[in-house]
Amino acid sequence: MKSSSCFPIKRRGAGRFRGFVMAYSGDFSTANSPISAELREIPGEALPRLTPEMMARIAPFGRRDQFDGGEYLYEVGDREVDFFIILNGSVDVFESDGHGGHAIVATHQDNQFTGELHHLSGRAVLVCAQTTASTSVIRLSRVSLLRLVNAEPDIGEIILRALILRRARLLEFAEGGTVIVGSCRSGNTVRIQTFLERNGYPYRCLDTDVDHDARAAMETFHADTDSLPIVVLNGVRVLTQPTNHDLAEALGITERLSSSPAYDVVIVGAGPSGLAAAVYAASEGLNTLVIEAVGPGGQAGTSSRIENYLGFPMGISGQDLARRAQIQAQKFGARFAVAEAAWRLDCTCYPFGVHLEGGNMVFGRSVVVATGARYRRLDIPESQRFEGKGIHYAATSIEAQLCDGTEAVVVGGGNSAGQAAIFLSAKARHVHLLVRGDGLSDAMSDYLVGRIMHSPRITLHTRSEITSLAGEGYLSSVRWGQPGKEESEHTISNLFLMIGAVPNTDWLFGCVERDDRGFILTGYDHDGAPNGSPYATSVPGIFAVGDVRAKSIKRVASSVGEGSVVVHSIHGWLASNPVSRKTAGRSVAFEDASGNSL
């Protein structure tokens, strides 16, 4: 029998999956965003029972196995966990309660199956599964599970829906397996929360400014104010001010990269364009790797509600859209290297080499640059002092909590700023929207303009600019005004900047041609001749899509379109530039199909 790293079971919260109704107001990636109607639970869908006919179709994809009562099928932290379908017997599933014990969340019986979303990715699982009696199963490896999901779509839909709903429950009822202790006003605390939410990881946050339990946690784990924030794992292990990479390693969010010498396509960036490229590349059989510094979504992931995206008449949050796309890509076999930011692209050799900040290096026969753009900083001296201490570049549920009952300022005239102002107005006492122009109509969708103009909780300030910031430790006041007119000062502790766009292209080190603003030029080679694809850069085999591409339309739908269409060009490139066995395991001088050095 396998020795256990799980703790004694506590019955608190037992059976939380069984027959629940989704009355909760979150989507499956964050407990504070509106849920999509099709993800609302119909009783039994989180714990479906497969028919005998389905069981017969599943059998060829796996192998039978037998376990004695009390044996663990898998435990918290295990990777590449098999998927178990129960023929007869019973399996309890339980999670950490954050206090050295575990609470049962579900019991699986005949013709039911174990698992949640990490079974698709091979990441470290969040729960334990233990047989309660002699149990026989069909077990499928991760690869076999993916084959089943794609080969038997009706069964695959049941499985995927159940996995999504189970993760939603873990997120909603996070009891303390991962606990953040720190001030919710701290930039580091917000960063950690954002990282976990972007990656759909359940956690609980204890705010040291208001929560008595936070003080008790500090005493228990001998943490002083200077060491905050800390992250407590399973009530035992403590991480002090962890980086995203440290946190990903500790929680098993990072995926083990393939030992394959070169991926068919390496996609850098998991915004809408990168995710679309991953879905289409993986679904067409390409060995696909996505590299992402934080988590799926990109700049679009900060949008509280996108209402003009085709097919979602009730709107969808940017994070919900991103999480769906990630699951879709994983379903087809794409791998995701999260918290592994790319810091240099080597385009002088083939396959291309992508150096990661953690020290690893991956090779790709083609590379898609989908790193998007970031908002500009304020050009005033005090702004750097308040980065992470009142200045924000996203308006998600995390930042909205900080605005509860106070006034907030949003700077920017695009759709992102409009969505932020409307979203924040539901929490903040009042929202001030500052734009440099005469109005909103030029850069913002009409439906957003109408809501802003009719909202009693939003005031539009035209031809206005921030002139100074003040505060001790954290931002406490903001001064703005119109050029040549009297300025006004306001008690403001949260300022949201959504102005301009700076492309994330520094890591390219001059590898491809860029315009004077740093955006990647596509469609032409180094000599200015057309190169056959609107997404091909000046280096053959390297493509750019989405906001990072010069002259692209900065809209979610456009980015998704570019990411899907670029795969056609990738196929053409791969067909004419095969990697021989002789060079597959190492990077060699870049040559074209005729052997000429480039």
Side-chain angles (χ1 to χ4, degrees):
M1 180 183 296
K2 180 179 177 181
S3 61
S4 172
S5 61
C6 288
F7 295 95
I9 301 173
K10 298 180 180 180
R11 295 279 164 176
R12 178 169 59 84
R16 77 169 63 143
F17 287 147
R18 185 173 287 109
F20 64 80
V21 177
M22 291 282 275
Y24 119 93
S25 61
D27 61 30
F28 64 87
S29 60
T30 170
N32 293 287
S33 300
I35 188 168
S36 301
E38 63 268 34
L39 286 180
R40 293 190 183 279
E41 166 70 350
I42 298 171
E45 288 197 334
L47 291 177
R49 195 177 296 274
L50 301 170
T51 67
E53 186 271 337
M54 289 178 175
M55 296 288 286
R57 282 191 280 149
I58 289 169
F61 289 89
R63 62 182 178 87
R64 292 185 64 129
D65 204 348
Q66 183 75 32
F67 293 88
D68 294 329
E71 282 197 80
Y72 283 89
L73 304 184
Y74 51 83
E75 302 176 29
V76 173
D78 287 351
R79 290 177 175 271
E80 298 289 344
V81 166
D82 284 351
F83 184 76
F84 295 90
I85 302 172
I86 299 164
L87 294 169
N88 57 73
S90 180
V91 176
D92 277 344
V93 176
F94 45 96
E95 65 172 338
S96 169
D97 65 3
H99 302 285
H102 280 70
I104 292 180
V105 296
T107 298
H108 301 300
Q109 296 177 327
D110 298 6
N111 290 18
Q112 294 182 311
F113 51 85
T114 66
E116 58 93 39
L117 282 178
H118 278 181
H119 281 68
L120 290 179
S121 65
R123 295 177 179 179
V125 292
L126 307 179
V127 293
C128 294
Q130 183 184 33
T131 59
T132 61
S134 179
T135 301
S136 60
V137 300
I138 301 174
R139 64 187 303 165
L140 289 75
S141 67
R142 172 183 170 273
V143 173
S144 297
L145 172 61
L146 294 178
R147 288 193 187 121
L148 169 66
V149 166
N150 288 293
E152 301 286 353
D154 59 329
I155 299 174
E157 181 178 348
I158 292 171
I159 291 174
L160 286 179
R161 186 176 179 83
L163 300 188
I164 290 170
L165 289 169
R166 292 172 188 180
R167 175 60 67 88
R169 296 293 89 191
L170 291 174
L171 286 165
E172 183 187 6
F173 291 108
E175 294 188 2
T178 299
V179 180
I180 305 169
V181 182
S183 170
C184 285
R185 298 181 66 193
S186 162
N188 260 339
T189 303
V190 171
R191 172 185 58 79
I192 292 170
Q193 287 180 280
T194 299
F195 177 76
L196 293 176
E197 291 219 2
R198 281 288 187 96
N199 289 284
Y201 203 94
Y203 71 93
R204 189 158 56 98
C205 189
L206 301 180
D207 188 350
T208 52
D209 294 334
V210 297
D211 198 326
H212 293 298
D213 288 343
R215 292 294 173 185
M218 289 177 64
E219 293 177 6
T220 299
F221 297 105
H222 309 291
D224 57 25
T225 303
D226 292 337
S227 66
L228 297 179
I230 61 172
V231 179
V232 184
L233 309 182
N234 297 322
V236 179
R237 184 180 177 189
V238 178
L239 305 178
T240 301
Q241 299 179 355
T243 64
N244 289 351
H245 186 270
D246 293 338
L247 197 56
E249 285 289 335
L251 295 174
I253 293 176
T254 52
E255 293 184 30
R256 301 303 185 206
L257 300 183
S258 170
S259 58
S260 172
Y263 291 88
D264 291 329
V265 55
V266 173
I267 301 165
V268 185
S273 59
L275 289 169
V279 168
Y280 280 83
S283 68
E284 295 178 18
L286 298 182
N287 187 12
T288 304
L289 173 67
V290 182
I291 297 170
E292 169 56 41
V294 180
Q299 207 171 70
T302 67
S303 295
S304 57
R305 185 178 288 273
I306 304 169
E307 295 189 53
N308 58 353
Y309 190 77
L310 185 67
F312 292 92
M314 302 304 293
I316 184 171
S317 73
Q319 192 55 49
D320 195 358
L321 184 66
R323 289 291 298 146
R324 288 163 178 258
Q326 182 185 24
I327 293 169
Q328 200 172 9
Q330 288 172 332
K331 164 188 165 183
F332 292 121
R335 304 306 298 253
F336 283 74
V338 174
E340 289 277 11
W343 72 268
R344 186 167 71 85
L345 173 61
D346 185 354
C347 59
T348 63
C349 297
Y350 189 72
F352 304 109
V354 180
H355 297 263
L356 307 180
E357 284 186 352
N360 294 324
M361 183 176 182
V362 295
F363 294 98
R365 296 175 58 201
S366 64
V367 173
V368 176
V369 181
T371 43
R374 60 188 183 275
Y375 294 120
R376 287 193 293 108
R377 271 51 178 168
L378 276 180
D379 190 22
I380 57 176
E382 309 98 289
S383 63
Q384 287 188 343
R385 186 158 62 93
F386 296 110
E387 292 279 343
K389 298 179 180 180
I391 291 181
H392 311 285
Y393 298 92
T396 69
S397 57
I398 298 172
E399 291 82 11
Q401 296 295 329
L402 302 176
C403 301
D404 194 6
T406 68
E407 294 191 9
V409 175
V410 177
V411 182
N415 276 2
S416 294
Q419 289 164 350
I422 294 168
F423 177 62
L424 294 171
S425 67
K427 279 281 186 182
R429 185 170 69 248
H430 200 82
V431 175
H432 301 274
L433 179 59
L434 275 60
V435 297
R436 298 180 66 177
D438 294 329
L440 296 173
S441 58
D442 290 343
M444 190 179 294
S445 295
D446 185 67
Y447 78 95
L448 292 173
V449 174
R451 289 183 191 172
I452 289 169
M453 301 309 295
H454 288 93
S455 173
R457 303 180 71 170
I458 303 174
T459 299
L460 174 65
H461 303 266
T462 59
R463 297 191 297 277
S464 297
E465 298 181 24
I466 302 289
T467 56
S468 67
L469 308 172
E472 293 292 333
Y474 292 94
L475 179 68
S476 61
S477 69
V478 179
R479 178 181 289 271
W480 70 77
Q482 297 179 343
K485 294 186 178 181
E486 185 177 356
E487 298 175 357
S488 58
E489 186 170 354
H490 301 257
T491 301
I492 300 287
S493 55
N494 291 286
L495 171 62
F496 296 83
L497 300 179
M498 298 177 177
I499 50 178
V502 179
N504 295 311
T505 53
D506 293 343
W507 64 283
L508 296 173
F509 284 87
C511 191
V512 298
E513 296 286 346
R514 294 179 286 174
D515 65 13
D516 54 1
R517 298 170 59 201
F519 290 92
I520 299 174
L521 296 170
T522 57
Y524 300 91
D525 61 21
H526 280 295
D527 297 324
N531 56 15
S533 168
Y535 311 113
T537 70
S538 56
V539 176
I542 298 178
F543 304 86
V545 293
D547 289 358
V548 76
R549 190 175 70 86
K551 299 182 180 178
S552 65
I553 298 174
K554 308 301 190 269
R555 286 288 187 271
V556 174
S558 300
S559 294
V560 170
E562 291 189 10
S564 60
V565 173
V566 73
V567 176
H568 175 75
S569 300
I570 292 171
H571 277 299
W573 165 257
L574 295 178
S576 60
N577 290 273
V579 176
S580 69
R581 290 183 178 273
K582 180 178 179 181
T583 61
R586 59 188 177 88
S587 189
V588 298
F590 191 96
E591 298 176 345
D592 63 18
S594 301
N596 299 316
S597 178
L598 294 178

